[in-house]
Amino acid sequence: MGTASSKDYDSSSSHGGEEREDQGGGGQLYVSLKMENYNLKGELIPHVYGSVPLVGSWDSSKALALERESMSMWELSFVVPPNHETLDFKFLLKPKNSNLSYVVEEGPNRQLIGGTLQGDKRSAMFNLGADEILEYRVYIKADRVSPFDLAASWRAYQENFQPSTVRGIPDVSINSAAESSNKHGSSANLELDLEDYVVPTPTKSANSGLVYAANMTETPRSLSGGVFSKADGSSDALHGQTDTVISFDRPAMEVIVPDPSNLSSQSGLGESKSVGTFSHPQKQEGHRGLFVDRGVGSPRLVKPENATTLFIDNKHDSEAKNSMPAAAGAVAAAAVADQMLGPKEEQHLAIVLVGLPARGKTFTAAKLTRYLRWLGHDTKHFNVGKYRRLKLGANLAADFFRDDNPEGLEARNEVAALALEDMISWMQEGGQVGILDATNSTRKRRNMLMRMAEGKCKIIFLETICNDRQIIERNIRLKVQQSPDYAEEPDFEAGYHDFKGRLENYEKVYEPVEEGSYIKLIDMVSGHGGQIQMNNISGYLPGRIVFFLVNTHLTPRPILLTRHGESRDNVRGRIGGDSVISDAGELYAKKLANFVEKRLKNERAASIWTSTLQRTILTASPIVGFPKIQWRALDEINAGVCDGMTYEEIKKNMPDEYESRKNDKLRYRYPRGESYLDVIQRLEPVIIELERQRAPVVVVAHQAVLRALYAYFADRPLKEIPHIEMPLHTIIEIQMGVTGVQEKRYKLM
């Protein structure tokens, strides 16, 4: 509501009688009456009765019931017209639908003149007999609103009571009939080729071309001479070294690790004002405070003057390492349990890949890294091949990989050890899950890694086994085409035969995993079944990893993401709600149907997913020939008490909430609503099912939901999710396959 000024009265307020600053101004009074009591008495419900315009009668049978706002609060709001700005009333208690008995509050009538309560401010006292007195705290608030704001609010209120236009549509429908009418005629058709609607992707997006997955892994710290590239291209030299700068593949920022000696003297609890979440300041190693991020707050550490810059990571300068994931729900609960109950080394998890070349290890590692990051776990992918190329060069012949080549064997073990050392160092600085990507094909190599990790992190071996010669052949050819090992080899056939020789050298000495904790994926990459074997796997995070791996495969297929067509609430700038689509939204729905028909004309196994809100169902309704499925998990972020408001209204009437959301959109939770972290948690089943699907999927959803889904595929940091561009009437095509994730965007309107 737009307001000129307001008065808020309760039982502890000072005496009234003040003149309102806007007395006599334009607009009408909007009055809110609230009563609060934590000791409810039977079926007695607060009512109010009095003069015109509230009731117009002092007959208790005509008293208006207050509506329950919470377990202890009751509320009634009404508008006072300009010619009736003097109002007499009293509160009473009675059963809601009975006039047989009632109790009127003690004391004189309450009088409201021009929005100002007259006389003493008092609680409502009810004498129930037998010396029993029941007290309610009373809150009376009056705001002067403009007719425009009042009309807009009334329209929004009325729309909430309109019957849904999609009530009769089942949650799952197959081959639904097309709409017979075409309101916009031929303008809904896409007369050009689909490529003519392609628009450039944002700078930070999923890959737009083929990228070798190993190139996207962590840059070896131990081989960079302590010099790391920042996001702006500058560099920091550690320990006075000035070796060649090696750039990160992702934007990087400096992380400050505070001096524990300074933090040890700090005590007490810090409160996040916007959300009221308490967290312990970080203490010395071994007594580290629990930074439990439940999706509602974000603790921060102040940068001390003598802090040491240890490494580069994609975090803000002001954001210190958090021993808990930035997550809500089950992820946060599991993190707390592991931190408080588990052995210290199990607080850090190392997933060590095992397998012959061309078995999809790097692809699997990249997908797992992306999934864990999206859930909120601090995860990094360390590729030993990248270490080898930086230390020894890329042009190594197949003989280098022979087991009877002592120099080559020693060099390969050395770079594997360097990668694990970097991983452990990163974990000691706050990292949670490291993925070591290498063949690790012999028991001797794996035992070396386990000795190095003992007491520092828990190792789980992840072995990928593929017996499908067709898939292996495809992977070999992709490896030769994309790997930096063959970038300077102009003859494809020469590179192909060299890699085949390397593969034969590994096959001669390969030893399947039988030691320690392990997960074996046997012929799982095709998506047509296979086996998964596990040994000594327990805990929340290993369990989620297994569940994710069971549902992933390499089958290429597109996933199309699009927001619903423009809704009436979009036009009015109101958030949430369940309004229908506007005329422009209806036009987009028909253009979308035409696009899907052309793009997926040979993909009859494709499916259409929508939320349960009518604006997405209506947008997808013109699409025919494909199954349609409604997901409650795809509903827009729940705005709670702010549902149906504009951001200007929130800023004006709830300034603290507005600022809290502005300061941390990722963790901010709407009162009685959701945060972005909550949305991510409920979208995990959607991500798992998208990974499991082998046919195309069209997802028609909402801005916040699509931001979270897109961030998963594009491997965007959690902190960026609330700010990802997700325009109306645009289709984002995510192409998933053996080469990773590519993106293309189509602007239809």
Side-chain angles (χ1 to χ4, degrees), residues 240-300:
Q241 299 182 24
T242 56
D243 293 11
T244 304
V245 174
I246 302 174
S247 299
F248 275 85
D249 296 302
R250 281 182 294 276
M253 293 294 290
E254 172 184 282
V255 168
I256 303 301
V257 179
D259 185 347
S261 62
N262 284 351
L263 290 176
S264 61
S265 62
Q266 299 176 6
S267 61
L269 294 170
E271 180 180 2
S272 175
K273 180 179 184 296
S274 63
V275 292
T277 301
F278 291 93
S279 55
H280 292 276
Q282 187 171 350
K283 300 179 182 178
Q284 289 187 9
E285 187 66 33
H287 302 280
R288 182 172 298 171
L290 296 181
F291 287 176
V292 183
D293 191 336
R294 297 178 288 111
V296 295
S298 178
R300 295 288 184 269

Side-chain angles (χ1 to χ4, degrees), residues 506-523:
Y506 277 108
E507 288 174 336
K508 292 175 183 177
V509 297
Y510 186 78
E511 297 174 299
V513 174
E514 296 177 351
E515 66 277 5
S517 300
Y518 63 78
I519 303 168
K520 287 177 182 276
L521 303 178
I522 305 173
D523 294 327

Side-chain angles (χ1 to χ4, degrees), residues 203-204 216 229-232 248-254 312-315 715-717 719-720:
T203 304
K204 295 180 179 180
M216 303 301 294
S229 170
K230 294 182 180 179
D232 60 3
F248 275 85
D249 296 302
R250 281 182 294 276
M253 293 294 290
E254 172 184 282
I312 302 299
D313 191 12
N314 42 349
K315 296 279 196 298
D715 196 15
R716 296 280 287 273
K719 65 180 184 297
E720 293 183 7

